[in-house]
Structure formats: C-alpha cells, structure tokens
Amino acid sequence: MSKQSLELMKETFTIHSFDPSEQIPEQVYNAPVYFIAKTYDELSIVCPDYLKLNSNESESGWAALEVLGPLGFSMTGILSNISGILAQEKISIFAISTFDTDYILIKQEFMDNAINSLQKNGYNVISGQ
C-alpha cells in the first residue's frame, strides 16, 4: 500500500468535554472547522483554540494532520499505520474520522518529532496554508 500525504492544518485546537444533555454552544457553528461527537455519556467538541467554551473539561494546544483524501471505505490500515509510527515515538494522538478522511491531533510540542518520524517512514507531510 502506498503511503498517504498528510497536511499540517493551520489551526490549533482545544478538545472540550460536556455533559451529553448540554446544548452545543452557538459560536462553534461559526468556526471554520470543528468536530462534534455525542454519546450516551458525553458530548465532545473539538474546535479552534480561540473559541472559549464553558466546558466541564478541556485541553488546548492540539495541532492536526489531515490525511489527504478522499479515502475510500475499502482502504484499510491507514490510521493504524500512522498511529503505530507515532506510538513507537511515544507520541499520543487524538484521532477523528470523517466520511472522506482522517485527522490526527497531536500536542503542539510533539508535532515536529511526529512529522520527522512520519517522513522517515515514507509519508509526505506538507504545511497548511
């Protein structure tokens, strides 16, 4: 399988946790990019750092790599291969998948090491706009 290209997004993100009964804050919908997940136990929102939300818990300072797609549903092992390389370097990730692609969030202070490791393993990593 050929290795994918990844693009470093220009935004930095905060991961928020809310009670599942809470409403999604309106300002989230005006952000250029955001991710929302709701389960029986929690509501998670990932949005640009500049949005200040009144969440139960939050962690800021996440940079993101987008796996350039679209990726077909028949493609396997993409996230596993990338996360395996990063795990060998002891770099934690927060992974998000959409219909077309995957996003790998990494704490900003580990991003240079992550990019170097991915490039050494044959991935093309480009800088975002």
Side-chain angles (χ1 to χ4, degrees):
M1 166 177 8
S2 65
K3 305 263 174 113
Q4 289 71 38
S5 290
L6 300 104
E7 183 173 359
L8 178 62
M9 297 179 72
K10 63 182 176 181
E11 294 89 353
T12 55
F13 296 91
T14 298
I15 303 169
H16 295 273
S17 178
F18 295 88
D19 291 326
S21 60
E22 291 190 52
Q23 295 293 315
I24 297 166
E26 273 304 310
Q27 67 263 42
V28 171
Y29 297 115
N30 294 322
V33 61
Y34 58 87
F35 305 92
I36 299 172
K38 184 176 180 181
T39 68
Y40 298 111
D41 299 319
E42 71 168 315
L43 168 65
S44 293
I45 299 175
V46 179
C47 61
D49 275 341
Y50 65 80
L51 284 181
K52 303 304 176 198
L53 306 181
N54 190 20
S55 55
N56 295 336
E57 290 183 62
S58 66
E59 188 165 326
S60 61
W62 293 85
L65 293 170
E66 175 185 356
V67 181
L68 297 179
L71 307 175
F73 285 116
S74 63
M75 296 176 77
T76 60
I78 295 168
L79 204 51
S80 173
N81 292 336
I82 293 169
S83 64
I85 291 167
L86 299 176
Q88 287 178 351
E89 297 296 321
K90 308 263 187 276
I91 298 171
S92 292
I93 67 166
F94 186 91
I96 299 172
S97 294
T98 67
F99 190 91
D100 284 339
T101 194
D102 297 316
Y103 296 84
I104 297 98
L105 279 70
I106 299 165
K107 291 296 277 192
Q108 281 182 291
E109 60 264 26
F110 300 112
M111 186 55 81
D112 287 341
N113 187 22
I115 290 171
N116 289 335
S117 298
L118 290 166
Q119 288 173 331
K120 278 191 241 176
N121 282 276
Y123 287 90
N124 179 36
V125 182
I126 56 177
S127 214
Q129 305 171 24

